[in-house]
Amino acid sequence: EIEAKYTKKMQVLRDELDLRKKTEIYEVEERKNSHISELMRNHEKAFNDIKNYYNDITLKNLALISLLKEQIEEMKKKENHLEKEKADVLLQNKQLKEPLQQAQEQVFELQKKLAHYDKDKEALTNTKARLKVTQKELKDLQWEHEVLEQRFSKVQAERDELYQKFTKAINEVQQKTGFKNLLLERKLKGLLSVLEKKEVELSEVFAASNLDPGALSLVSHKLEDVLNSKNTTIKDLQFQLARVCKAHNDMLQTFEAKLTAFGIPLDNLGFKPLASPVLGQ
């Protein structure tokens, strides 16, 4: 009897340690899932920052190119105007025969205008050189923009594939967990009903029989062993039910976090995922 008693205590202790180990394992898995979700959010934020940075650079360069084009157009207008003035002056020089003083004054004025023209022409040459450099930078930025768009399209395709897989997985898990929860609850209710019946029958047997204290003590010990075994079975079933419900709810939370991270509204599912109730609620 002593050996059986301590064997039973060792079994109960093993069951408690197994239960504690399973609980700690599930806590570690939950922390791991949370860490994965945080990493995905950080990667998504870094990608958006890079995208915004290159978009800002592209917009600034486009604005600079527009400004340089306007300056070039203005320089061309000035050049045309100066060319016209130069042609008019040369024509007047040929046609008019005025005193030498007047001609020298006109030559002096023309030389001044020619000096301004050379300066404007040099400025135009420098502007064209800057425009070529800016156009090259624009081509490089456009190439980088195309590369980023291709990467973005690839990420969108992966997001759509994950969305389809998650939708399929959620339906399968809901069906499996719902059926398993129903079986566990029915089994638990059946065991509780059998236990109540056995307790009533035992009370009737004790009331009907006049057993001596020794026999009554022996029967009580055996009955206590049976009840402990049944209680262990009930606790194991309750733990299995709680584990399935928790796994189902964790899967739903992870799924919702993935949808939120990819920017997919929960209303697009077409149905509302049913969270399993916690045991006792």
Side-chain angles (χ1 to χ4, degrees), residues 104-163:
Q104 288 179 348
E105 290 178 357
Q106 290 181 353
V107 169
F108 180 74
E109 292 294 330
L110 288 174
Q111 286 178 349
K112 287 174 63 177
K113 291 182 179 180
L114 183 60
H116 289 298
Y117 168 77
D118 291 335
K119 290 181 180 179
D120 292 337
K121 190 173 182 180
E122 184 180 357
L124 179 62
T125 303
N126 295 332
T127 304
K128 288 181 178 179
R130 285 192 300 168
L131 178 61
K132 290 182 180 180
V133 174
T134 306
Q135 287 178 344
K136 183 178 182 302
E137 293 178 353
L138 177 61
K139 289 181 180 179
D140 295 337
L141 289 174
Q142 287 176 345
W143 180 80
E144 292 179 359
H145 182 68
E146 291 178 358
V147 172
L148 287 175
E149 283 185 345
Q150 292 177 0
R151 290 174 60 189
F152 181 69
S153 300
K154 183 178 179 181
V155 171
Q156 280 186 331
E158 293 177 354
R159 182 198 67 181
D160 295 336
E161 183 180 357
L162 285 174
Y163 173 74

Side-chain angles (χ1 to χ4, degrees), residues 84-111:
K84 186 177 179 180
E85 287 183 354
K86 182 180 178 181
D88 293 338
V89 170
L90 291 175
L91 183 62
Q92 289 177 5
N93 247 352
K94 291 179 180 180
Q95 292 178 353
L96 299 177
K97 293 181 180 180
E98 296 183 359
L100 182 60
Q101 184 65 32
Q102 186 178 1
Q104 288 179 348
E105 290 178 357
Q106 290 181 353
V107 169
F108 180 74
E109 292 294 330
L110 288 174
Q111 286 178 349

